[in-house]
Amino acid sequence: MKNNLVKKVNTQDMAVCREMRAGRQIELLQKYGGSLISFTMNIPGEVKQNTLIYKGFKLAKRSILERLNYLKIPILFLQEINEFTGNELYISVYEDAINVKKALCALEEADAFGRLLDIDVLRQDFSKVSRRELDLPERNCIICGLPVSSCAPQRKHCAELLYKKTQDIIYTTLVEDIANGVSVIAQKALLMEALTSPKPGLVDRYNSGAHKDMDLNTFCISANALMPYLKKCAEEGIKCESPQNLMPILRNLGLLAEQQMYKATNGVNTHKGAIYGLGILCAAAGFLLFNEDKFNSDKLFEISSQIAKDEVKSIENLKGETAHTGGVEQYKKLGLLGARGEAKEGFPSVGNIALPTLKARLKKGESFNSAGVYTLIALMANVFDSNVIRRVGIKRQEELKKEAQSLIEKGFNMQDIIAFDNRLIEENISPGGCADLLSFTYFVYMLESETL
């Protein structure tokens, strides 16, 4: 929504707007028949349009369309109009007006945001279905909660207070909607990574890989326990003014998330790497989706890089127990940047290797599982995995990369991967870093594919 549309309206502006709306309603009812949905936002005061209001309108539009789709109500025509006098949505539907109004009243009655939705449903005779016809009570005031008729005529609440309350409701609703959407997709990504099978050396639907302390159930329990953390990371991304200020906040949230993970899994480290990387990606997604109209994976990676810009520098400053983690030791001995370097560079292994690979395999018609297995092998062929190095050293890691590359070059089937899995289990090799990157890839792919 462009800022040049943000200006104050006067009484004449609104009178002209209402007249034009009535004309459109008549025209659409005559042209398409059926019933007509005419939706606007209840925005008090002189400003009917700004970026926040527009975002709220788009969220409401999505909710209306999802409701109609769920109830299989056919749409004959849809038109959106955005002016400084407000946003308007017209939908001609082939359904009885009473049934349509009943369906959409659920949105109006759901929460505080619903109070801002003015969803009129018109019949062929141009009359509106009233709330009284549906035995619904009068709508309440957003300030005092009393019926509007008891305070609006007396103007008990000033326009400034009503406008501010409206903006607060829209903002709160948008934060909740985006954070919920991001965290649900993040959790799905964790679960889908766990279910992808077979995965050499890793927990999957076939076995527990090179792990004796965890299985598929452990991963599912852990993914569930991390849901509040993933949502909180997205919320912090939405609320922040600059992504560069997020890392200290995310680090503290991550420490608490690790505690919740260990509590849920009885002390088993299932998702420590995912807590780090997916936390950054969720925060970046929250920031991007709130500040941009469309999702773009390149921008997501760029924002992630801004969040983690000082992560490699921070390694040198680590003291105590945190200075002896596998990733830090490998950086000091081998110069490998590990998860911190991946985040600092904007997850290049995801953006340049895994995501293009996943998309290409899916485009060929492969199942998500098969495409995911291939993507994992592509990651194993290109990534220095700190888990592998910690278990069997850098030399074996180099050999493992070549083995994975060889599988890709010759063209493998699932039996080849099962044999590869058996070898890695025998050697106690678990490419957990690549598994984390696979879950990040699923996350970004689903963000691109799904509408939040």
Side-chain angles (χ1 to χ4, degrees):
M1 178 53 55
K2 296 180 180 179
N3 287 330
N4 60 9
L5 292 178
V6 179
K7 63 179 183 180
K8 293 182 179 180
V9 301
N10 56 38
T11 304
Q12 184 178 353
D13 293 329
M14 296 311 298
V16 171
C17 177
R18 284 191 291 270
E19 184 177 343
M20 294 182 66
R21 186 182 307 146
R24 289 192 192 98
Q25 292 170 348
I26 293 172
E27 179 185 352
L28 293 173
L29 282 167
Q30 291 176 338
K31 184 174 182 179
Y32 294 98
S35 304
L36 178 68
I37 300 166
S38 178
F39 164 62
T40 58
M41 298 283 287
N42 285 318
I43 307 295
E46 297 176 318
V47 176
K48 305 294 183 182
Q49 180 68 281
N50 61 26
T51 301
L52 190 65
I53 293 171
Y54 179 68
K55 287 179 180 292
F57 171 78
K58 297 292 282 188
L59 171 58
K61 175 185 175 181
R62 190 186 84 205
S63 299
I64 290 171
L65 293 177
E66 287 176 349
R67 185 82 177 131
L68 295 176
N69 181 64
Y70 171 72
L71 296 172
K72 296 180 172 58
I73 296 177
I75 294 177
L76 306 174
F77 175 79
L78 186 148
Q79 181 183 29
E80 177 182 325
I81 295 174
N82 304 297
E83 298 289 347
F84 76 99
T85 50
N87 306 290
E88 302 176 27
L89 178 68
Y90 300 94
I91 308 175
S92 297
V93 295
Y94 188 70
E95 181 63 63
D96 178 73
I98 290 283
N99 292 337
V100 176
K101 183 66 174 179
K102 284 181 180 178
L104 298 181
C105 271
L107 298 177
E108 291 182 332
E109 301 297 308
D111 50 27
F113 182 67
R115 177 61 186 83
L116 306 183
L117 312 186
D118 190 2
I119 309 175
D120 290 332
V121 180
L122 288 76
R123 304 178 179 90
Q124 273 292 290
D125 64 1
F126 313 128
S127 65
K128 298 178 183 178
V129 179
S130 68
R131 294 172 62 85
R132 185 175 298 176
E133 290 179 69
L134 304 181
D135 294 324
L136 289 172
E138 180 184 349
R139 304 192 81 175
N140 295 327
C141 171
I142 61 174
I143 300 295
C144 64
L146 296 175
V148 171
S149 61
S150 69
C151 62
Q154 293 79 27
R155 296 186 178 182
K156 290 184 177 180
H157 313 297
C158 69
E160 289 184 3
L161 178 62
L162 287 166
Y163 180 77
K164 183 180 183 303
K165 181 66 174 179
T166 299
Q167 300 297 288
D168 290 344
I169 290 172
I170 295 174
Y171 177 77
T172 300
T173 302
L174 287 171
V175 171
E176 183 72 10
D177 178 71
I178 294 172
N180 269 337
V182 169
S183 61
V184 166
I185 290 176
Q187 186 187 50
K188 283 169 61 177
L190 291 176
L191 293 171
M192 288 172 64
E193 182 279 315
L195 292 169
T196 299
S197 305
K199 296 197 303 291
L202 297 161
V203 172
D204 57 28
R205 288 180 284 114
Y206 295 167
N207 56 55
S208 295
H211 300 274
K212 296 180 181 179
D213 57 350
M214 64 182 81
D215 57 18
L216 188 58
N217 287 334
T218 318
F219 271 82
C220 293
I221 291 169
S222 177
N224 182 66
L226 293 180
M227 187 73 165
Y229 162 71
L230 299 169
K231 181 180 178 182
K232 185 64 177 175
C233 288
E235 289 176 351
E236 293 297 335
I238 296 167
K239 296 175 181 179
C240 79
E241 294 184 4
S242 170
Q244 297 181 7
N245 301 328
L246 278 171
M247 201 63 223
I249 298 171
L250 298 181
R251 185 171 288 109
N252 287 328
L253 291 176
L255 292 173
L256 296 176
E258 286 183 18
Q259 179 180 326
Q260 291 303 311
M261 174 192 71
Y262 284 125
K263 180 180 179 181
T265 62
N266 293 317
V268 177
N269 174 15
T270 45
H271 286 119
K272 193 170 182 178
I275 287 172
Y276 178 77
L278 205 51
I280 292 172
L281 285 166
C282 281
F287 181 86
L288 176 60
L289 290 168
F290 185 75
N291 291 285
E292 301 285 342
D293 288 335
K294 294 183 180 180
F295 177 83
N296 180 288
S297 59
D298 289 336
K299 284 190 175 182
L300 179 75
F301 296 135
E302 180 184 337
I303 295 166
S304 299
S305 178
Q306 292 173 26
I307 293 173
K309 66 182 179 67
D310 293 326
E311 281 300 273
V312 174
K313 295 178 184 177
S314 69
I315 295 178
E316 295 293 343
N317 299 325
L318 292 176
K319 297 178 180 180
E321 292 183 5
T322 54
H324 299 289
T325 63
V328 174
E329 289 296 324
Q330 288 165 30
Y331 170 75
K332 291 182 176 180
K333 292 180 180 179
L334 305 171
L336 298 175
L337 299 178
R340 287 179 175 83
E342 186 74 28
K344 175 186 177 294
E345 297 301 321
F347 297 96
S349 296
V350 175
N352 300 333
I353 299 169
L355 191 60
T357 300
L358 180 67
K359 289 179 178 179
R361 306 306 293 190
L362 290 172
K363 190 174 182 179
K364 288 183 177 181
E366 292 186 11
S367 68
F368 214 102
N369 182 77
S370 177
V373 171
Y374 194 99
T375 302
L376 175 66
I377 301 303
L379 284 166
M380 291 176 64
N382 288 277
V383 173
F384 283 96
D385 193 309
S386 60
N387 269 19
V388 173
I389 297 172
R390 178 173 56 82
R391 288 187 177 221
V392 292
I394 187 65
K395 181 180 179 181
R396 184 67 185 99
Q397 162 69 102
E398 292 278 14
E399 294 170 351
L400 196 64
K401 288 177 65 178
K402 292 178 181 178
E403 290 175 29
Q405 185 60 44
S406 177
L407 283 169
I408 293 173
E409 290 173 355
K410 78 169 188 176
F412 60 82
N413 57 38
M414 287 303 171
Q415 291 304 313
D416 294 325
I417 301 303
I418 290 173
F420 195 25
D421 183 27
N422 290 333
R423 292 202 305 275
L424 265 60
I425 291 173
E426 289 178 3
E427 293 185 65
N428 195 35
I429 296 175
S430 172
C434 291
D436 291 336
L437 292 171
L438 179 62
S439 68
F440 304 165
T441 305
Y442 285 157
F443 175 70
V444 178
Y445 176 81
M446 287 187 286
L447 277 175
E448 286 186 343
S449 306
E450 300 183 19
T451 302
L452 291 173

